[in-house]
Amino acid sequence: MIMTYVVIGLVIFLIFIFFLWCEYRNFKNYQKKLLDSAEKSFGTLNEKETPFYELQSCKAFFNRFKTIKSIDDITANDLEIDELFSKFNKALSAPGKEYFYYRMRTGMEEINEREDFERKVSFLQNDRESRRKLQSAFFEVGSLPKVSFFECLDLYKSMEDKKTVKEYITFFLPFVAFASFFISSTAGIVLTIAAFIYNILSYYKVRGEIEAYIICFVYISNFIKVSRTLKKIDIEVLKDELDEITERADKMKAFEKFSSFVSSRSKVLGAGNPLDIIFDYLSMVFHLDILAFYKMLSFIKNKKDDIEDLYFRLGKLECYGVVASIRTSKPEYCVPTKGDGIEAVNVYHPLIDNPVKNSISAKNGVLITGSNASGKSTFLKTVALNALFADSLNTCFADSFSLEDFCVFSSMSLRDDLQHKDSYFMVEIKALKRIFDFAKENPDRKLLCFVDEVLRGTNTIERIASCTQILKKINESNILCFAATHDIELTDLLNDSYDNYHFDEQIIDNDVLFSYKLKEGKATSKNAISLLSIMGFDESIINNARIMADNFTNNGVWEKIC
């Protein structure tokens, strides 16, 4: 008889071992598949867009840590940072993704920070084995499912501490009920069943109140655990950061001992390990995870800043590999240098296939004229983006790129603000005013601003008058400005403070051909009326429009044409 029980017990034990082995094997196979995919995609651009909830988490991280060198939302929208993030991001963990988004929008302050960043990015770009070690660690860190990490932390801080006397009573209740067997077997059965039913029902009530917080608890525990294992990774160039991360994680080991009680992976990650399932039932009966939850809540409140710091450092560590991937995907890049104004040689936009490269040297303001679709807006975005990435990623898409220490602003892709009932013109002047306000509040900072079609939302006479004064004032306010306009009059009105450049085109065989090459001087060609002709508008419209335009050019007065 005893032998039978031994055999049954051994069989059950072997089944458990088998399930554990299967789960471990499946996890390792999935990990290898993902890491192989990550390695294969290194140095390429992503095709899929980043999910909305991921972008929101990235923006929450950015808003938490942004500095005076961070670009604001208007500039980020103008430069299409969200799209660039989707294309460039190769991070496998939430801290990595969020830090990379933050890094894209935030310049580095100190020269030694830039040198340290460059050394580590360059190393990972060329060392495949070290990249693989880090990717393996960050794969295990993973991401929270559709939950913002910092929103969870803030919620924990606002939660009131709860006395757990009731939960301790609930924990001992089944033992008391079971002890009643020694008095009466009938009473023991009834009381034990009643205790189990009460504990399970009360468990689901309390569990429902804290469920949303538990997922983040498990995630925190996981990235603390992974952080402590980073000490095993032997990468000399990253030793300082690896040591700092593991040192901070070691101070939070106490958090981990409660994590296995808070929730098994079957609830959080959908695992089917029999041991996890058994533990789930034990938690229902004895409220083990609820008791541990309040212990961990107290820990998080006391160590919130340390947890934030560890999360930030993990993201920074993974970001080096992401920037290394960008450089590999765009081999025609350069490391920027310091200089006066801006000097760019063969600069281009990283998202344009077969781009036309341009060069410019600017110490004064730059005024760019040209016809529609000739390349003015694209050139502004190209220089602005490279100026930003020079400061934030220490990477420029050019043969060479040098610049001063700038804070970057733009006013380009604006639209009506229906939510605040602002017209396009109001949105424009608010966007311009914020640049002046920042310059006034930070007189020690030099600004680099990009303005496309200044005040296009108002009439011609007031637009030219206002633009002249605004752009003159910008040039006097420790601001280097690149501005694009259709108003050719501005080139003469501002020729003492702005250098003139232009884009032009040729019309050949009823087709408009753009060179997209930047040229010195103001634009002389006009294509609007020619485009009407090419598109097949009535000849009378074309001829009369040309007569009116010629009359105004010669006489400065608009004449009616019947």
Side-chain angles (χ1 to χ4, degrees), residues 382-429:
T382 296
V383 177
L385 183 67
N386 277 277
L388 171 64
F389 281 2
D391 208 17
S392 63
L393 303 181
N394 207 41
T395 302
C396 292
F397 306 101
D399 289 351
S400 66
F401 199 96
S402 68
L403 75 168
E404 291 181 56
D405 186 18
F406 289 116
C407 291
V408 179
F409 283 85
S410 69
S411 175
M412 299 172 68
S413 303
L414 304 174
R415 58 179 66 88
D416 293 352
D417 188 347
L418 299 179
Q419 182 180 357
H420 297 97
K421 299 182 180 179
D422 282 343
S423 67
Y424 183 86
F425 181 69
M426 285 298 295
V427 171
E428 276 191 299
I429 60 177

Side-chain angles (χ1 to χ4, degrees), residues 538-549:
D538 189 279
E539 282 299 317
S540 64
I541 295 175
I542 310 302
N543 293 333
N544 290 339
R546 283 204 171 105
I547 292 170
M548 289 184 70

Side-chain angles (χ1 to χ4, degrees), residues 342-355:
I342 283 185
E343 186 166 344
V345 177
N346 290 330
V347 66
Y348 68 97
H349 195 287
L351 295 189
I352 297 178
D353 294 329
N354 302 315

Side-chain angles (χ1 to χ4, degrees), residues 25-36:
R25 185 189 62 179
N26 290 338
F27 174 79
K28 284 298 181 182
N29 287 340
Y30 175 68
Q31 182 187 42
K32 184 178 184 303
K33 182 179 178 181
L34 189 65
L35 291 175
D36 287 342

